mmCIF file of all heavy atoms in Angstrom:
data_model
loop_
_atom_site.group_PDB
_atom_site.id
_atom_site.type_symbol
_atom_site.label_atom_id
_atom_site.label_comp_id
_atom_site.label_asym_id
_atom_site.label_seq_id
_atom_site.Cartn_x
_atom_site.Cartn_y
_atom_site.Cartn_z
ATOM 1 N N LEU C 187 -50.859 -41.111 30.171
ATOM 2 C CA LEU C 187 -51.372 -42.446 30.461
ATOM 3 C C LEU C 187 -51.680 -42.589 31.950
ATOM 4 O O LEU C 187 -52.715 -43.128 32.339
ATOM 5 C CB LEU C 187 -50.361 -43.496 30.013
ATOM 6 C CG LEU C 187 -50.788 -44.964 30.128
ATOM 7 C CD1 LEU C 187 -52.028 -45.220 29.282
ATOM 8 C CD2 LEU C 187 -49.643 -45.875 29.697
ATOM 9 N N ALA C 188 -50.773 -42.085 32.793
ATOM 10 C CA ALA C 188 -50.973 -42.182 34.242
ATOM 11 C C ALA C 188 -52.198 -41.380 34.676
ATOM 12 O O ALA C 188 -52.968 -41.825 35.543
ATOM 13 C CB ALA C 188 -49.726 -41.679 34.966
ATOM 14 N N LEU C 189 -52.390 -40.210 34.067
ATOM 15 C CA LEU C 189 -53.553 -39.381 34.408
ATOM 16 C C LEU C 189 -54.848 -40.099 34.053
ATOM 17 O O LEU C 189 -55.802 -40.121 34.842
ATOM 18 C CB LEU C 189 -53.467 -38.046 33.670
ATOM 19 C CG LEU C 189 -54.699 -37.133 33.763
ATOM 20 C CD1 LEU C 189 -55.005 -36.788 35.212
ATOM 21 C CD2 LEU C 189 -54.487 -35.864 32.948
ATOM 22 N N ILE C 190 -54.900 -40.709 32.871
ATOM 23 C CA ILE C 190 -56.106 -41.424 32.455
ATOM 24 C C ILE C 190 -56.407 -42.563 33.421
ATOM 25 O O ILE C 190 -57.558 -42.771 33.837
ATOM 26 C CB ILE C 190 -55.941 -41.955 31.017
ATOM 27 C CG1 ILE C 190 -55.883 -40.788 30.026
ATOM 28 C CG2 ILE C 190 -57.089 -42.890 30.648
ATOM 29 C CD1 ILE C 190 -55.540 -41.200 28.611
ATOM 30 N N LYS C 191 -55.377 -43.312 33.802
ATOM 31 C CA LYS C 191 -55.586 -44.435 34.711
ATOM 32 C C LYS C 191 -56.089 -43.957 36.076
ATOM 33 O O LYS C 191 -56.958 -44.591 36.686
ATOM 34 C CB LYS C 191 -54.290 -45.225 34.877
ATOM 35 C CG LYS C 191 -53.912 -46.035 33.631
ATOM 36 C CD LYS C 191 -52.623 -46.818 33.843
ATOM 37 C CE LYS C 191 -52.299 -47.679 32.628
ATOM 38 N NZ LYS C 191 -51.034 -48.441 32.801
ATOM 39 N N ARG C 192 -55.547 -42.836 36.561
ATOM 40 C CA ARG C 192 -56.004 -42.306 37.856
ATOM 41 C C ARG C 192 -57.483 -41.923 37.788
ATOM 42 O O ARG C 192 -58.246 -42.182 38.720
ATOM 43 C CB ARG C 192 -55.169 -41.090 38.265
ATOM 44 C CG ARG C 192 -53.785 -41.401 38.754
ATOM 45 C CD ARG C 192 -53.216 -40.256 39.585
ATOM 46 N NE ARG C 192 -53.199 -38.996 38.854
ATOM 47 C CZ ARG C 192 -52.196 -38.602 38.083
ATOM 48 N NH1 ARG C 192 -51.137 -39.389 37.925
ATOM 49 N NH2 ARG C 192 -52.244 -37.442 37.472
ATOM 50 N N GLU C 193 -57.874 -41.281 36.688
ATOM 51 C CA GLU C 193 -59.274 -40.885 36.538
ATOM 52 C C GLU C 193 -60.170 -42.114 36.486
ATOM 53 O O GLU C 193 -61.241 -42.142 37.108
ATOM 54 C CB GLU C 193 -59.439 -40.047 35.258
ATOM 55 C CG GLU C 193 -58.758 -38.689 35.291
ATOM 56 C CD GLU C 193 -59.434 -37.739 36.252
ATOM 57 O OE1 GLU C 193 -60.672 -37.660 36.243
ATOM 58 O OE2 GLU C 193 -58.725 -37.078 37.036
ATOM 59 N N GLN C 194 -59.756 -43.120 35.750
ATOM 60 C CA GLN C 194 -60.573 -44.322 35.611
ATOM 61 C C GLN C 194 -60.663 -45.100 36.911
ATOM 62 O O GLN C 194 -61.697 -45.699 37.217
ATOM 63 C CB GLN C 194 -60.015 -45.206 34.494
ATOM 64 C CG GLN C 194 -60.205 -44.603 33.102
ATOM 65 C CD GLN C 194 -59.486 -45.369 32.018
ATOM 66 O OE1 GLN C 194 -58.464 -46.026 32.278
ATOM 67 N NE2 GLN C 194 -59.971 -45.284 30.796
ATOM 68 N N GLU C 195 -59.586 -45.100 37.690
ATOM 69 C CA GLU C 195 -59.617 -45.764 38.989
ATOM 70 C C GLU C 195 -60.616 -45.096 39.925
ATOM 71 O O GLU C 195 -61.135 -45.730 40.843
ATOM 72 C CB GLU C 195 -58.217 -45.762 39.608
ATOM 73 C CG GLU C 195 -57.253 -46.740 38.927
ATOM 74 C CD GLU C 195 -55.813 -46.534 39.367
ATOM 75 O OE1 GLU C 195 -55.579 -45.628 40.217
ATOM 76 O OE2 GLU C 195 -54.929 -47.243 38.861
ATOM 77 N N GLY C 196 -60.894 -43.822 39.659
ATOM 78 C CA GLY C 196 -61.887 -43.107 40.457
ATOM 79 C C GLY C 196 -63.301 -43.299 39.939
ATOM 80 O O GLY C 196 -64.225 -42.614 40.390
ATOM 81 N N GLY C 197 -63.470 -44.191 38.964
ATOM 82 C CA GLY C 197 -64.801 -44.498 38.444
ATOM 83 C C GLY C 197 -65.276 -43.553 37.363
ATOM 84 O O GLY C 197 -66.471 -43.526 37.044
ATOM 85 N N ARG C 198 -64.355 -42.781 36.770
ATOM 86 C CA ARG C 198 -64.750 -41.821 35.739
ATOM 87 C C ARG C 198 -64.386 -42.333 34.346
ATOM 88 O O ARG C 198 -63.400 -43.053 34.177
ATOM 89 C CB ARG C 198 -64.083 -40.467 35.993
ATOM 90 C CG ARG C 198 -64.593 -39.770 37.237
ATOM 91 C CD ARG C 198 -63.878 -38.458 37.482
ATOM 92 N NE ARG C 198 -62.543 -38.675 38.016
ATOM 93 C CZ ARG C 198 -62.250 -38.781 39.307
ATOM 94 N NH1 ARG C 198 -63.226 -38.712 40.196
ATOM 95 N NH2 ARG C 198 -61.019 -38.975 39.712
ATOM 96 N N LEU C 199 -65.187 -41.923 33.349
ATOM 97 C CA LEU C 199 -64.897 -42.226 31.953
ATOM 98 C C LEU C 199 -64.121 -41.058 31.353
ATOM 99 O O LEU C 199 -64.445 -39.894 31.597
ATOM 100 C CB LEU C 199 -66.181 -42.455 31.157
ATOM 101 C CG LEU C 199 -67.033 -43.664 31.556
ATOM 102 C CD1 LEU C 199 -68.215 -43.811 30.606
ATOM 103 C CD2 LEU C 199 -66.215 -44.933 31.552
ATOM 104 N N VAL C 200 -63.106 -41.369 30.561
ATOM 105 C CA VAL C 200 -62.181 -40.358 30.069
ATOM 106 C C VAL C 200 -62.191 -40.332 28.543
ATOM 107 O O VAL C 200 -62.208 -41.373 27.891
ATOM 108 C CB VAL C 200 -60.744 -40.638 30.565
ATOM 109 C CG1 VAL C 200 -59.778 -39.565 30.078
ATOM 110 C CG2 VAL C 200 -60.716 -40.723 32.088
ATOM 111 N N ALA C 201 -62.160 -39.120 27.983
ATOM 112 C CA ALA C 201 -62.038 -38.936 26.534
ATOM 113 C C ALA C 201 -60.824 -38.075 26.244
ATOM 114 O O ALA C 201 -60.502 -37.153 27.011
ATOM 115 C CB ALA C 201 -63.290 -38.280 25.966
ATOM 116 N N MET C 202 -60.125 -38.374 25.144
ATOM 117 C CA MET C 202 -58.973 -37.557 24.761
ATOM 118 C C MET C 202 -58.755 -37.662 23.259
ATOM 119 O O MET C 202 -59.312 -38.534 22.587
ATOM 120 C CB MET C 202 -57.707 -37.994 25.501
ATOM 121 C CG MET C 202 -57.117 -39.311 25.025
ATOM 122 S SD MET C 202 -55.384 -39.509 25.507
ATOM 123 C CE MET C 202 -54.570 -38.336 24.422
ATOM 124 N N THR C 203 -57.953 -36.741 22.731
ATOM 125 C CA THR C 203 -57.569 -36.778 21.322
ATOM 126 C C THR C 203 -56.054 -36.949 21.225
ATOM 127 O O THR C 203 -55.320 -36.664 22.171
ATOM 128 C CB THR C 203 -57.955 -35.477 20.595
ATOM 129 O OG1 THR C 203 -57.262 -34.376 21.208
ATOM 130 C CG2 THR C 203 -59.438 -35.238 20.655
ATOM 131 N N GLY C 204 -55.595 -37.400 20.048
ATOM 132 C CA GLY C 204 -54.164 -37.544 19.824
ATOM 133 C C GLY C 204 -53.889 -37.829 18.362
ATOM 134 O O GLY C 204 -54.787 -38.223 17.607
ATOM 135 N N ASP C 205 -52.645 -37.625 17.946
ATOM 136 C CA ASP C 205 -52.310 -37.877 16.539
ATOM 137 C C ASP C 205 -50.973 -38.587 16.349
ATOM 138 O O ASP C 205 -50.681 -39.072 15.259
ATOM 139 C CB ASP C 205 -52.316 -36.581 15.735
ATOM 140 C CG ASP C 205 -51.320 -35.554 16.278
ATOM 141 O OD1 ASP C 205 -50.606 -35.865 17.261
ATOM 142 O OD2 ASP C 205 -51.253 -34.446 15.717
ATOM 143 N N GLY C 206 -50.169 -38.648 17.386
ATOM 144 C CA GLY C 206 -48.830 -39.214 17.235
ATOM 145 C C GLY C 206 -48.718 -40.628 17.773
ATOM 146 O O GLY C 206 -49.571 -41.110 18.520
ATOM 147 N N THR C 207 -47.631 -41.280 17.387
ATOM 148 C CA THR C 207 -47.364 -42.627 17.897
ATOM 149 C C THR C 207 -47.252 -42.615 19.413
ATOM 150 O O THR C 207 -47.676 -43.552 20.097
ATOM 151 C CB THR C 207 -46.073 -43.167 17.268
ATOM 152 O OG1 THR C 207 -46.230 -43.202 15.846
ATOM 153 C CG2 THR C 207 -45.763 -44.569 17.768
ATOM 154 N N ASN C 208 -46.685 -41.512 19.956
ATOM 155 C CA ASN C 208 -46.541 -41.438 21.415
ATOM 156 C C ASN C 208 -47.878 -41.234 22.127
ATOM 157 O O ASN C 208 -47.965 -41.363 23.343
ATOM 158 C CB ASN C 208 -45.556 -40.328 21.809
ATOM 159 C CG ASN C 208 -46.008 -38.952 21.344
ATOM 160 O OD1 ASN C 208 -47.013 -38.826 20.649
ATOM 161 N ND2 ASN C 208 -45.264 -37.938 21.702
ATOM 162 N N ASP C 209 -48.942 -40.907 21.359
ATOM 163 C CA ASP C 209 -50.277 -40.785 21.956
ATOM 164 C C ASP C 209 -51.015 -42.117 21.979
ATOM 165 O O ASP C 209 -52.062 -42.237 22.620
ATOM 166 C CB ASP C 209 -51.122 -39.776 21.160
ATOM 167 C CG ASP C 209 -50.650 -38.344 21.334
ATOM 168 O OD1 ASP C 209 -50.216 -38.007 22.447
ATOM 169 O OD2 ASP C 209 -50.698 -37.578 20.355
ATOM 170 N N ALA C 210 -50.513 -43.112 21.244
ATOM 171 C CA ALA C 210 -51.230 -44.372 21.078
ATOM 172 C C ALA C 210 -51.568 -45.058 22.408
ATOM 173 O O ALA C 210 -52.708 -45.507 22.593
ATOM 174 C CB ALA C 210 -50.451 -45.312 20.169
ATOM 175 N N PRO C 211 -50.629 -45.168 23.363
ATOM 176 C CA PRO C 211 -50.988 -45.828 24.630
ATOM 177 C C PRO C 211 -52.138 -45.137 25.353
ATOM 178 O O PRO C 211 -53.041 -45.807 25.876
ATOM 179 C CB PRO C 211 -49.688 -45.763 25.443
ATOM 180 C CG PRO C 211 -48.604 -45.632 24.417
ATOM 181 C CD PRO C 211 -49.191 -44.805 23.332
ATOM 182 N N ALA C 212 -52.116 -43.800 25.381
ATOM 183 C CA ALA C 212 -53.177 -43.061 26.064
ATOM 184 C C ALA C 212 -54.499 -43.184 25.312
ATOM 185 O O ALA C 212 -55.563 -43.316 25.925
ATOM 186 C CB ALA C 212 -52.783 -41.589 26.207
ATOM 187 N N LEU C 213 -54.459 -43.152 23.973
ATOM 188 C CA LEU C 213 -55.681 -43.308 23.177
ATOM 189 C C LEU C 213 -56.305 -44.676 23.413
ATOM 190 O O LEU C 213 -57.534 -44.811 23.491
ATOM 191 C CB LEU C 213 -55.373 -43.127 21.689
ATOM 192 C CG LEU C 213 -55.112 -41.704 21.203
ATOM 193 C CD1 LEU C 213 -54.605 -41.716 19.767
ATOM 194 C CD2 LEU C 213 -56.380 -40.859 21.308
ATOM 195 N N ALA C 214 -55.468 -45.698 23.503
ATOM 196 C CA ALA C 214 -55.972 -47.046 23.744
ATOM 197 C C ALA C 214 -56.558 -47.178 25.147
ATOM 198 O O ALA C 214 -57.532 -47.905 25.358
ATOM 199 C CB ALA C 214 -54.852 -48.062 23.543
ATOM 200 N N GLN C 215 -55.991 -46.474 26.119
ATOM 201 C CA GLN C 215 -56.458 -46.563 27.498
ATOM 202 C C GLN C 215 -57.738 -45.767 27.717
ATOM 203 O O GLN C 215 -58.588 -46.153 28.520
ATOM 204 C CB GLN C 215 -55.362 -46.042 28.441
ATOM 205 C CG GLN C 215 -55.715 -46.098 29.914
ATOM 206 C CD GLN C 215 -55.826 -47.524 30.438
ATOM 207 O OE1 GLN C 215 -55.089 -48.406 30.006
ATOM 208 N NE2 GLN C 215 -56.748 -47.759 31.355
#
């Protein structure tokens, strides 16, 4: 989640995959 936010703060669009409940916050971000 922190990595995605850092990338987005730099003006970049981020894509990722996930399958678990613990991936949900990052998938939503």
Side-chain angles (χ1 to χ4, degrees):
L187 185 60
L189 172 59
I190 293 172
K191 288 181 177 179
R192 285 200 303 272
E193 293 291 315
Q194 290 172 333
E195 287 169 1
R198 292 178 284 271
L199 296 184
V200 181
M202 73 161 288
T203 61
D205 59 2
T207 300
N208 61 355
D209 290 324
L213 286 171
Q215 181 68 35

